[in-house]
Amino acid sequence: MLARALCLTAVWLSPAALLGLAPLLLADGTRGLGPPLALGGGAVLAAVLLAGPWARVPTDRGTLVDLGRRRWPSAALQPLAVATAGSAFLFVWAQLAALGELGRALGWPRPLPIGVAVIALALAAWRREAGAPAAAFGAALALMGLVVPLIAVLAATDPVWPRVWAEVASRPDLVFAADGPWVRDGHPVHGVGRELMLPVTEEQRVVLLGRGPVRVEAWEGGTSRQHIAAPVDLTLRPGDRLVVPDGFPVRFEAGRRIPGAPPSGIAWADLPERPYDQGRLVGLGVALAFGALGLAPGHALLPAGRAGDRAAVLAAALAIVGLAASLLWSLYAAWLVPEVYLGGVAGSEVYELPGAVAALGSVGPALRDLALLGLAAGGFTGALAALAGAARAAWPEHHGAALVLAFVVPAAVLAAAAPVGAWPVLIAAFGLAASAAAPAAVLAGWRERLSPRGVAMGASVGLVVFVGLTVGHLWQLAGLGGAAPESWVGFLAAWPSLTAMPLNALVAWTLSPGPRPSPRAPLSPGFADLQG
C-alpha cells in the first residue's frame, strides 16, 4: 500500500509541476498560491471520488477504460482510450522536458538527461518485474529530495515561515547583497531562454565577464551590439535593457536593484490586478483540480481492492505536504537569494537554494544535488505511471517495445527540440484529462443511470472541443487571426477545459436517461451499490 501511495504522490508532485509552480509564487505573490491549492484539491478529489470505484476493478487493471469495461463488458469506449493515451503522452512529454530543464541547470546539454530517461523507461517497460520497485524507489527519493533539503534550510536560517513572509513582503526594494556571488566575483546569469533580457530601473555599473555577443537596448531607442572577448565595464541607465546569452557571467554593484525583480516586497505581495487575472486563475484551477480526476497516470496508480482507499488518502495527504513544501521553497528563495529574478525565474534555480545558503556550509551543495536528483526521480516515476495507463488502455501490457516507440521516443524528440517548456505541456495534459475523461471517471463510478453510449459521446464532444479550442489558441498566439487573447473568446480558447468539460458531462448525462438497470440487464458485479 505504501509503495503505491508514494508512486501516486509522485504523479501530483512531478518535476514538471514543481518546476512550474515555483516561479508562480515569485512572479505573482499571493496570486501564486492558487495553483498549488488547486492541484492539492485535485489530489483530494481523486482520493474521495475515484478510490472507491477503483476498488471494484481487479487488482491487475486500473485505468478509466478498464473501469468502463468492467461496468459494460461489451461497450466500445474508443474515445476514452484516445483521451487516456493523449493525456499520458502529454504527461510523458512534460516530464522529459522537465528533466531537460534540470540537466540545463547542471550545465549538461539538454538532450543528455532526456536520452538517459528514455533508456531507463525502455528498460523498465521491457523488464516489468523491475519496474515497480524502481518506480517506488524513485517516488520515495522524490519526496525525500523535496522535504529533507528544505528542512535543512529552515533549520539553518529561520523556521518560522510567517516571519519570513512578513520580512519579504515588507522590503522597500530588492537589491544585490554585498556578500553575494553576483557582487563579489561575478556569477553566470541563467533564465528561461537562450538569451536573457535584464531591464535596468536605476543607473548601475556592471562588469561583463564572459565571452559572446551582448547588446544594450537604450531607453531612448537604438541598440548597441558588441562581441565580448575580455572583461568590460559598462554603465547602464534607467530604462536600458542588457541582453546576454544564457549562462553569461556578470558582476553587479552592491545595493542596486535586481533587474527583473518586483520594485519592492510590498508590490510583490500585493500586485495590482490585471485584466482577466481572476479568469486565468479559474481556468488554471479547473484544469488542475478536475484534470486530476481524468489523468491517465493517476488512474494507473489508484490502489485497487478495499484497502485502496487508505492508500489514496495517504497519497493525497503526502501531495498536500509536498505542495506546501514547494511554496516554502519559493518563499525562502525570495528571502535568501532574490537574485533568482535575474533573467526570469526558472524553477530549477529555486531548488538550487541549499547551495546558496552559507549557513549550510559544505553540506549545501550535497543537499542541492539531493533536491535535483529527487526531481529527476519523480519524473521517472510519473512517466512510468503514464506509460502504464496508456498501455492498459491501448495495448496489451507485454508490448513494451511498441509502447516505448509510440510514446517515449516521440515525446523525447519533442522535449528536446520543441520551443516549449514543461509547464505548458503539463497544463495541456491536465486540460485534456479534465475535458475528455474527468466526467466519465466520476459518473462511471457514481451514477447508476449511465449508458456507455452517453459516456462515449460525452468524451468525444470533450475531446473535439478541447482540440479545436487549443488549435484556435495556438493560431492566435502565432498572430494568424482570430480573437485577441485578452478577449473572452481568446480567454476561453486559452482554457478549453472550461467549455469542454461541462459539455462532456451534459452530453453524458443527457444520453443516459431511462429506468434503473433491471434483473434482465443488471450491472456488472461490484457496481450494484452505485449512487443513483
Side-chain angles (χ1 to χ4, degrees), residues 1 47-48 50-55 303-315:
M1 182 187 79
V48 172
L50 302 186
W54 248 258
R306 291 298 176 181
D309 291 356
R310 295 192 299 273
V313 170
L314 176 60

Side-chain angles (χ1 to χ4, degrees), residues 187-201:
H187 194 271
V189 178
H190 293 286
V192 294
R194 295 182 178 178
E195 282 191 339
L196 309 179
M197 184 181 67
L198 309 179
V200 178
T201 57

Side-chain angles (χ1 to χ4, degrees), residues 175-179 183 252-256:
V175 299
F176 289 100
D179 58 348
V183 172
F252 296 89
E253 279 190 273
R256 297 294 185 178

Side-chain angles (χ1 to χ4, degrees), residues 37 101 123 141 233 251 255 359 385:
L37 291 175
E101 294 175 14
L123 291 174
L141 184 58
D233 287 11
R251 186 164 66 237

Side-chain angles (χ1 to χ4, degrees), residues 6-68:
L6 286 173
C7 291
L8 184 55
T9 302
V11 171
W12 312 134
L13 300 178
S14 70
L18 294 176
L19 293 180
L21 292 172
L24 293 181
L25 182 69
L26 289 168
D28 294 338
T30 52
R31 285 200 295 268
L33 300 174
L37 291 175
L39 183 55
V44 172
L45 285 176
V48 172
L49 296 178
L50 302 186
W54 248 258
R56 304 181 180 101
V57 180
T59 56
D60 61 337
R61 312 289 286 180
T63 70
L64 178 56
V65 178
D66 295 324
L67 183 67

Side-chain angles (χ1 to χ4, degrees), residues 292-357:
L293 294 173
L295 197 64
H299 294 166
L301 290 172
L302 278 171
R306 291 298 176 181
D309 291 356
R310 295 192 299 273
V313 170
L314 176 60
L318 291 175
I320 291 173
V321 171
L323 291 168
S326 73
L327 293 173
L328 291 179
W329 275 96
S330 297
L331 174 61
Y332 277 73
W335 179 43
L336 298 170
V337 283
E339 293 87 354
V340 73
Y341 285 101
L342 278 171
V345 180
S348 58
E349 292 180 336
V350 172
Y351 296 99
E352 295 181 71
L353 172 63
V357 178

